[in-house]
Amino acid sequence: MIVSDSGSNTPPRRAIRSFVLREGRLTSAQERAFNDLWPHFGVSWSPTAAALDFTSLFGNSQPVVLEIGFGNGESLAEMAERDPARNWLGIEVHRPGVGHLLLEIERRGLTNLRVMRQDAIEVLRDGIAPNTLDAVQLFFPDPWPKTRHHKRRILSPELVALLARVIRSGGIFHAATDWPHYAEQMLTVLDGASAWFENTAGVGRYAPRPAHRPLTKFEQRGERLGHPVADLIYRRR
Ligand SMILES: C[S@@+](CC[C@H](N)C(=O)[O-])C[C@H]1O[C@@H](n2cnc3c(N)ncnc32)[C@H](O)[C@@H]1O
């Protein structure tokens, strides 16, 4: 998205994004996935299009769980396989990760998982009708450890306002991180949104790691480095 201040001479300002697009090479299997599997499991959408219609997208009206930034998608595919009574929608910008998840969908024979290659912020803002999501999950978002990059962290008051609009009353927002400074920021921002979200662990507390969250690829990397993991689980009022 280009944000321009019309009428002034300043050049258009790029919105601050939570990612840097590294194209990365696709394997030949991932190339095939884009050709053969994307038409079945991929969701093409643009910010000028109407909001997604989940019933026609999944062919049923089961509750929908959205994952932001699924990486290679293996933990998302595992969750979707274990919980077929809900529909799962993954959003990721990294093309090889999207290709990897398409292959996982095929390998596991999943029918309840769809994939978008999009900036999740744009989808949350314009692509999802109010009160339609059962849950949103954000696992090990890019930590942007340098102070001057903290503004790129995806978990912010702006994200929380977008989540409050799309998560149904009683629905869940679940975040996890292995960066203590980011965990503290998440706790402050989410506890600060108590008009919308209730901390299931109690104000100021992290949640116990739930058994239903598989180990993710980035979490494994963090574990090898000895990073502690914090889960934050909030219920929409
Ligand atoms: C550190 S990785 C974690 C991946 C995965 N959740 C895991 O735990 O293994 C963060 C991922 O979020 C993706 N990402 C960052 N900002 C995003 C955005 N605005 N929309 C979609 N994906 C995003 C990145 O491309 C990256 O793959």
Coordinates of all heavy atoms in Angstrom, one line a residue, residues 18-19 69-71 91-94 118-120 139-140 142 154 216-218, ligand 1:
S18 N 5.6 -5.6 8.3 CA 6.1 -6.5 9.4 C 7.1 -7.5 8.7 O 7.6 -8.4 9.4 CB 5.0 -7.2 10.1 OG 4.2 -7.9 9.1
F19 N 7.3 -7.4 7.4 CA 8.1 -8.4 6.7 C 9.0 -7.7 5.7 O 8.7 -6.6 5.2 CB 7.3 -9.5 6.1 CG 6.3 -8.9 5.1 CD1 6.6 -8.7 3.7 CD2 5.0 -8.5 5.5 CE1 5.7 -8.1 2.8 CE2 4.1 -7.9 4.6 CZ 4.5 -7.8 3.3
G69 N 1.2 -15.6 9.2 CA 2.6 -15.9 9.1 C 2.9 -17.3 9.5 O 3.7 -17.6 10.5
F70 N 2.4 -18.3 8.7 CA 2.6 -19.7 9.1 C 4.0 -20.3 8.8 O 4.3 -21.4 9.1 CB 1.5 -20.6 8.5 CG 1.4 -20.5 7.0 CD1 2.3 -21.1 6.1 CD2 0.3 -19.8 6.4 CE1 2.2 -21.0 4.8 CE2 0.2 -19.8 5.0 CZ 1.2 -20.4 4.2
G71 N 4.8 -19.5 8.1 CA 6.2 -20.0 7.9 C 6.1 -21.2 6.8 O 5.7 -21.0 5.7
I91 N -2.3 -17.4 6.2 CA -1.8 -16.3 5.4 C -0.3 -16.2 5.6 O 0.2 -16.1 6.8 CB -2.5 -15.0 5.8 CG1 -4.0 -15.1 5.9 CG2 -2.1 -13.9 4.8 CD1 -4.7 -13.9 6.3
E92 N 0.4 -16.1 4.5 CA 1.9 -16.0 4.6 C 2.3 -15.2 3.3 O 1.7 -15.4 2.3 CB 2.5 -17.4 4.6 CG 4.0 -17.5 4.5 CD 4.8 -16.7 5.6 OE1 4.7 -17.1 6.7 OE2 5.5 -15.8 5.2
V93 N 3.4 -14.4 3.4 CA 3.9 -13.7 2.3 C 5.0 -14.5 1.5 O 5.3 -14.2 0.4 CB 4.4 -12.3 2.6 CG1 3.3 -11.4 2.9 CG2 5.4 -12.3 3.8
H94 N 5.7 -15.4 2.2 CA 6.9 -16.0 1.7 C 6.5 -17.2 0.7 O 5.9 -18.2 1.2 CB 7.7 -16.5 2.9 CG 9.1 -17.0 2.5 ND1 9.9 -16.3 1.8 CD2 9.7 -18.2 2.9 CE1 11.1 -16.9 1.6 NE2 11.0 -18.1 2.3
Q118 N -0.4 -13.2 1.0 CA -0.9 -11.8 1.1 C -0.3 -11.2 2.4 O 0.1 -11.9 3.3 CB -2.5 -11.9 1.3 CG -3.3 -10.8 0.8 CD -3.6 -10.9 -0.7 OE1 -3.9 -12.0 -1.1 NE2 -3.4 -9.9 -1.4
D119 N -0.3 -9.9 2.5 CA 0.0 -9.2 3.8 C -1.3 -9.4 4.7 O -2.4 -8.9 4.4 CB 0.2 -7.7 3.5 CG 0.6 -7.0 4.8 OD1 0.3 -7.5 5.9 OD2 1.2 -5.9 4.6
A120 N -1.1 -10.1 5.8 CA -2.2 -10.4 6.7 C -2.9 -9.2 7.2 O -4.1 -9.2 7.4 CB -1.7 -11.3 7.8
F139 N 2.1 -17.3 15.6 CA 3.2 -18.0 16.3 C 4.5 -17.6 15.9 O 4.9 -17.6 14.7 CB 3.0 -19.5 16.1 CG 1.7 -20.1 16.6 CD1 1.1 -21.2 16.1 CD2 1.1 -19.5 17.7 CE1 -0.1 -21.8 16.6 CE2 -0.1 -20.0 18.3 CZ -0.7 -21.2 17.7
F140 N 5.3 -17.1 16.8 CA 6.7 -16.7 16.6 C 6.9 -15.7 15.4 O 7.6 -16.0 14.5 CB 7.6 -18.0 16.4 CG 7.4 -18.9 17.5 CD1 6.5 -19.9 17.5 CD2 8.1 -18.7 18.7 CE1 6.2 -20.7 18.6 CE2 7.9 -19.5 19.8 CZ 7.0 -20.5 19.8
D142 N 8.1 -12.4 13.4 CA 9.5 -11.9 13.3 C 9.7 -10.9 14.5 O 8.9 -10.0 14.7 CB 9.6 -11.1 12.0 CG 9.5 -12.0 10.8 OD1 10.3 -12.9 10.6 OD2 8.4 -11.9 10.1
I154 N 4.6 -7.0 14.2 CA 3.2 -7.1 13.8 C 2.3 -6.9 14.9 O 1.2 -6.4 14.8 CB 3.0 -8.3 13.0 CG1 1.7 -8.2 12.2 CG2 3.0 -9.6 13.8 CD1 1.5 -9.3 11.1
T216 N 6.7 -25.4 16.4 CA 6.8 -24.8 15.0 C 8.3 -24.8 14.7 O 9.2 -25.0 15.5 CB 6.3 -23.4 14.9 OG1 7.2 -22.5 15.5 CG2 4.9 -23.2 15.6
K217 N 8.6 -24.6 13.4 CA 10.0 -24.6 12.9 C 10.8 -23.5 13.6 O 11.9 -23.8 14.1 CB 10.0 -24.3 11.4 CG 11.3 -24.4 10.8 CD 11.3 -24.2 9.3 CE 12.7 -23.9 8.8 NZ 12.7 -23.2 7.5
F218 N 10.2 -22.3 13.8 CA 11.0 -21.2 14.4 C 11.1 -21.5 15.9 O 12.1 -21.1 16.5 CB 10.4 -19.9 14.1 CG 10.9 -19.3 12.8 CD1 10.4 -19.7 11.6 CD2 11.9 -18.4 12.8 CE1 10.9 -19.2 10.4 CE2 12.4 -17.9 11.6 CZ 11.9 -18.3 10.5
Ligands
LIG1 C1 9.7 -15.9 12.3 S1 8.6 -16.6 11.0 C2 7.6 -17.8 12.0 C3 6.9 -18.8 11.1 C4 6.1 -19.8 11.8 N1 5.0 -19.2 12.5 C5 6.9 -20.6 12.8 O1 6.7 -20.5 14.0 O2 7.8 -21.4 12.3 C6 7.4 -15.3 10.8 C7 6.7 -15.4 9.5 O3 5.7 -14.4 9.3 C8 5.6 -14.0 8.0 N2 5.0 -12.7 8.0 C9 5.5 -11.5 8.6 N3 4.6 -10.5 8.4 C10 3.5 -11.0 7.7 C11 2.4 -10.4 7.2 N4 2.1 -9.1 7.4 N5 1.5 -11.2 6.5 C12 1.8 -12.5 6.3 N6 2.9 -13.1 6.8 C13 3.8 -12.4 7.5 C14 7.0 -14.0 7.5 O4 7.1 -14.2 6.1 C15 7.6 -15.3 8.2 O5 7.4 -16.4 7.4

